Amino acid sequence: MDCLEQNMSLMERLRPELYKKIKEVFDSSEYSYNNIEEIETRDGNKALIVEKDNTKYRLNSLYKPLKEAEKWADQYEFQNLSISIMMFGMGNALFVREMLSRLKPDANVYLFEPDLSVFLFVLNNINIIDILEDKRVCLFINNINEKEFSDLLQNDVDWITMPTQIICNHPVYDKIYGDEFVSFLKVVHSANKMAKVNIDTEKYMSIKLVDNAIKNLRYIKESNYVSEFIGRIPEELPAIIVAAGPSLDKNIDELKRAEGKAFIFATDTSVKYLLQHNINFDAIITIDAKKGIWHLKDERCHNVPLFCVLEAKSDLMDMHTGRKIWFRGSVYMYDLYSRFDKEFPGYNSGGSVATAAFSLCISMKFKNIVLIGQDLAYSGGVTHAGGVVKNVQGDKEGRELVESIDGGKVWSRYDWLIYLEWFENSIRDLKDINVIDATEGGALIHGTEVMALSEVIDKYCKEEFSFSDMIDKMPYTFPDEEYRKVRDNIIHLRKEFNDIKQKSKEGIKAAEKVISIVNKGEDNPVNEAKNLKKVDKINKFLAKQDAYNLLDVYITNSVSKDLQTVNMLSDDEDENMKKTLEISVSIYKALIEAVDSLTPVLEETLEKV
């Protein structure tokens, strides 16, 4: 077997999706790597040379490329746990191999090769089966699967692993592929930014999120979930997402013509404006744990189907009397539903109710998604429809001029910029879905088709459709007999709360015994090993409890500072162990406090499930 056969054979077995796409390129014969050559180095190894824009670039040392790779890797610290490597450029794999040789088994490597011709040359001439079979490596090649890079980072990057993240590039790649390198960094920074937003939200709302989730368990009995609607709504029916940006005042009355001929999604903040104009909408969407109930106080909206999350504000959920449809759940809810073979589709909230609605529309397979009121910018000093001004902390410092929908410039602010970037990244990765921006004001969302709402309605609103009729005929997700089993699972939380509290107390004692041994410098390996084993056993027990998925969110704010250092290790093994145990004690204490605080909430809920 030559290099190509070996590489492709392994790829077919271990990375079948990537294999199919690469094979299509080879089969098409519409490729070339004539701009790539391999030369022998002084020490008998090989170096690659890439020609781009009539300039030749050497990717490796002419003398000692292996030593060069070692020196490059020396600049990074690889001793930490759960390291994430975002690397731009694979080249001939020498730098990647050196890095992999130093990484622990729990590391993740996101390797992005911007030049397809380089990758094809390597497949033909260099054996890289060690990299292809390394489970730590996620491989992305420009013009092959580059869109998956953004999606995976958005899902994988979190606030715990960010402190041990390494962003790097193959030497010279940043010069050869400058534009691609900038795009690569934007994707990485966007994922990091979203992870920070998520932790800030969780820290701010962690207690309320879980309090709501437990209270809202009572509504599972007479509810549905989003997967039941996939494929049941006509594909050509447009979905119109109504946000509450200032430009909504311009075209809100036009929506009257779309009633019954489009699926009109009202974000919770837009409901009152729609009702003021007597617009009928098909559904409301809400995600905020602390959303003001005045948004949905009008009784006319109380029976409108509500797409919601388990953590949505419980007071608002209590006020709503219509059908509730879960489109995302906490980890606890996902596990509960999957136990009954009910799976939620993929979802990426983006951080706002409008981005959540957009993700929901994608899940429901709408072919045409229309945005209105999605300004993501100021209109003068106005932030919302109806001339409303809502300021956020730091908005003045975080303002930035961006391209407007009419070709000029408009002021946006840091939170809107995050949502704008999210929309653009999401739209770029879509296939066979048309996204239309009929906002008629605000920031331009690249990748959308800009149209006036009146034109959208004339062109797309052709079919008659009644979501309320569909809901009336649809049974609840869980029939009575099956719901009794769901109820038993929920009631079991009571026992799990008690068990978690008891095990946490035992964990504190065991961890503190080891900490004491380390602090005193005692030589007591038997006692130390015994208590470490007990801590490990307790941690495994806690992780298996359904209730832990709720409590873990609840304690986010109190333990987040400690957890951000959990993967950062020193050269002193005793100090590393001591730090880890101190973090465990902090978590155990937080869990005990959480159980004490949430038990009355749980008991109240169990009376109503």
Side-chain angles (χ1 to χ4, degrees):
M1 268 193 184
D2 61 17
C3 286
L4 180 61
E5 288 177 303
Q6 291 183 61
N7 289 331
M8 291 295 283
S9 176
L10 188 75
M11 196 188 304
E12 182 179 18
R13 183 163 54 87
L14 299 182
R15 300 174 187 258
E17 293 303 317
L18 181 60
Y19 168 81
K20 289 176 187 175
K21 294 175 181 178
I22 295 293
K23 189 173 184 302
E24 286 175 6
V25 174
F26 281 128
D27 290 345
S28 72
S29 299
E30 295 179 0
Y31 66 91
S32 170
Y33 43 78
N34 293 331
N35 62 320
I36 316 295
E37 62 178 299
E38 192 176 46
I39 60 173
E40 191 167 332
T41 62
R42 297 283 179 87
D43 63 356
N45 285 291
K46 303 282 186 175
L48 284 191
I49 293 178
V50 176
E51 183 175 346
K52 189 169 186 288
D53 300 329
N54 297 317
T55 302
K56 289 189 175 183
Y57 300 90
R58 185 167 35 81
L59 301 186
N60 308 92
S61 166
L62 280 175
Y63 298 94
K64 297 180 179 180
L66 293 181
K67 285 290 183 184
E68 178 192 34
E70 290 175 9
K71 186 176 180 181
W72 171 82
D74 285 342
Q75 65 186 302
Y76 302 110
E77 294 289 341
F78 297 111
Q79 67 185 23
N80 294 318
L81 299 174
S82 300
I83 291 175
S84 294
I85 306 282
M86 284 72 169
M87 183 171 178
F88 182 75
M90 185 180 81
N92 60 358
L94 291 184
F95 291 92
V96 179
R97 281 199 180 97
E98 181 61 33
M99 177 181 62
L100 288 171
S101 71
R102 304 186 186 200
L103 286 170
K104 291 181 170 63
D106 63 352
N108 288 301
V109 178
Y110 304 87
L111 179 58
F112 189 95
E113 173 53 59
D115 192 336
L116 176 58
S117 63
V118 170
F119 187 72
L120 296 178
F121 180 92
V122 169
L123 285 179
N124 269 276
N125 297 281
I126 301 171
N127 188 315
I128 58 167
I129 59 175
D130 57 326
I131 293 173
L132 293 173
E133 67 185 1
D134 195 319
K135 294 180 180 179
R136 295 172 297 177
V137 178
C138 298
L139 185 57
F140 308 94
I141 300 98
N142 206 18
N143 297 317
I144 295 292
N145 65 342
E146 75 282 357
K147 292 179 179 179
E148 297 171 15
F149 179 57
S150 174
D151 289 343
L152 193 61
L153 286 195
Q154 290 287 345
N155 288 326
D156 287 3
V157 174
D158 61 45
W159 55 277
I160 294 178
T161 59
M162 278 176 63
T164 56
Q165 185 183 99
I166 296 174
I167 303 170
C168 60
N169 62 279
H170 188 295
V172 190
Y173 258 74
D174 54 333
K175 295 183 177 66
I176 307 174
Y177 309 102
D179 292 342
E180 293 87 346
F181 186 52
V182 169
S183 298
F184 167 85
L185 291 176
K186 281 184 178 179
V187 171
V188 175
H189 293 154
S190 176
N192 286 341
K193 202 167 5 176
M194 188 56 66
K196 187 177 186 307
V197 168
N198 289 339
I199 181 54
D200 288 345
T201 301
E202 281 191 25
K203 284 167 66 176
Y204 174 64
M205 294 188 173
S206 56
I207 292 175
K208 190 60 181 171
L209 285 168
V210 181
D211 184 81
N212 286 337
I214 292 175
K215 289 178 179 177
N216 290 335
L217 289 171
R218 71 189 72 171
Y219 294 117
I220 288 178
K221 182 179 181 181
E222 297 180 345
S223 68
N224 292 94
Y225 78 119
V226 64
S227 296
E228 296 172 89
F229 297 91
I230 297 174
R232 300 191 62 170
I233 297 173
E235 282 189 352
E236 300 309 316
L237 188 81
I240 301 178
I241 300 172
V242 186
S247 68
L248 183 60
D249 292 328
K250 296 179 182 178
N251 55 16
I252 190 169
D253 292 315
E254 189 68 30
L255 267 178
K256 197 76 181 169
R257 293 201 298 123
E259 290 179 13
K261 296 181 180 179
F263 196 110
I264 302 177
F265 264 115
T267 60
D268 45 23
T269 49
S270 72
V271 167
K272 55 182 176 292
Y273 301 110
L274 292 170
L275 293 176
Q276 286 170 10
H277 291 257
N278 297 310
I279 306 293
N280 295 313
F281 40 93
D282 294 278
I284 304 167
I285 180 169
T286 188
I287 62 171
D288 200 329
K290 294 188 176 182
K291 179 67 67 175
I293 61 173
W294 59 86
H295 291 294
L296 304 184
K297 208 163 186 179
D298 193 313
E299 292 183 0
R300 288 177 292 172
C301 73
H302 288 178
N303 199 43
V304 175
L306 180 69
F307 283 84
C308 50
V309 296
L310 193 63
E311 302 91 345
K313 190 179 180 78
S314 58
D315 293 340
L316 186 151
M317 300 283 275
D318 294 341
M319 192 166 57
H320 176 258
T321 57
R323 189 73 62 98
K324 294 174 176 63
I325 304 162
W326 313 106
F327 65 92
R328 180 188 66 78
S330 60
V331 176
Y332 171 79
M333 192 177 202
Y334 282 134
D335 289 347
L336 177 62
Y337 274 59
S338 63
R339 202 164 290 155
F340 296 90
D341 297 321
K342 303 184 191 308
E343 303 293 338
F344 285 83
Y347 170 79
N348 183 354
S349 76
S352 78
V353 67
T355 55
F358 187 79
S359 184
L360 174 57
C361 287
I362 293 171
S363 297
M364 294 175 70
K365 309 295 185 185
F366 283 103
K367 294 291 186 183
N368 296 293
I369 304 174
V370 185
L371 308 176
I372 69 169
Q374 193 58 58
D375 292 63
L376 300 174
Y378 291 95
S379 177
V382 174
T383 60
H384 289 74
V388 173
V389 177
K390 291 183 181 178
N391 295 316
V392 295
Q393 187 176 3
D395 59 346
K396 291 183 180 178
E397 295 80 11
R399 294 190 183 191
E400 185 177 316
L401 274 174
V402 297
E403 189 176 352
S404 67
I405 206 166
D406 59 6
K409 294 288 185 179
V410 66
W411 284 103
S412 186
R413 70 187 189 199
Y414 68 91
D415 53 337
W416 293 332
L417 290 169
I418 291 173
Y419 307 146
L420 177 62
E421 187 174 9
W422 182 93
F423 270 118
E424 292 179 343
N425 288 337
S426 298
I427 292 167
R428 186 176 60 244
D429 295 341
L430 293 179
K431 292 180 180 178
D432 303 320
I433 295 177
N434 185 32
V435 183
I436 301 163
D437 193 347
T439 294
E440 300 183 38
L444 173 66
I445 302 174
H446 290 93
T448 61
E449 180 183 1
V450 178
M451 292 178 69
L453 181 59
S454 59
E455 295 176 20
V456 172
I457 295 171
D458 290 341
K459 183 174 180 179
Y460 293 101
C461 295
K462 304 290 187 181
E463 295 187 40
E464 296 287 339
F465 174 77
S466 172
F467 188 57
S468 60
D469 287 350
M470 176 183 286
I471 288 290
D472 290 342
K473 297 172 185 175
M474 180 169 280
Y476 301 129
T477 298
F478 296 105
D480 289 344
E481 184 177 341
E482 193 172 36
Y483 177 72
R484 281 193 285 271
K485 296 176 183 177
V486 173
R487 181 176 177 273
D488 289 341
N489 276 266
I490 296 172
I491 290 173
H492 195 258
L493 288 173
R494 178 190 285 134
K495 181 180 185 305
E496 292 185 21
F497 269 31
N498 292 330
D499 289 346
I500 287 172
K501 182 175 180 179
Q502 182 58 40
K503 290 294 183 183
S504 294
K505 289 180 178 179
E506 294 174 14
I508 291 171
K509 289 181 181 179
E512 288 183 340
K513 284 179 183 177
V514 180
I515 292 170
S516 177
I517 291 171
V518 173
N519 285 338
K520 293 177 181 178
E522 296 177 3
D523 185 16
N524 195 342
V526 174
N527 196 15
E528 183 178 297
K530 175 186 172 183
N531 284 289
L532 283 174
K533 186 176 180 180
K534 189 169 186 178
V535 169
D536 183 59
K537 188 176 180 181
I538 288 169
N539 289 343
K540 288 177 179 176
F541 172 85
L542 295 176
K544 289 179 180 177
Q545 308 308 302
D546 291 338
Y548 184 77
N549 292 324
L550 293 168
L551 298 173
D552 186 42
V553 175
Y554 191 90
I555 66 175
T556 297
N557 191 39
S558 59
V559 300
S560 60
K561 190 174 181 180
D562 290 333
L563 287 178
Q564 283 184 305
T565 66
V566 70
N567 295 325
M568 300 177 70
L569 304 179
S570 69
D571 295 326
D572 189 323
E573 290 187 11
D574 282 344
E575 280 302 312
N576 289 337
M577 179 174 64
K578 178 183 170 184
K579 184 185 77 170
T580 302
L581 290 169
E582 287 172 344
I583 292 172
S584 294
V585 170
S586 176
I587 292 172
Y588 295 146
K589 289 180 179 179
L591 286 171
I592 292 169
E593 291 177 7
V595 169
D596 288 341
S597 296
L598 289 171
T599 294
V601 180
L602 178 62
E603 291 300 331
E604 181 185 348
T605 297
L606 295 184
E607 292 176 6
K608 300 175 181 178
V609 298

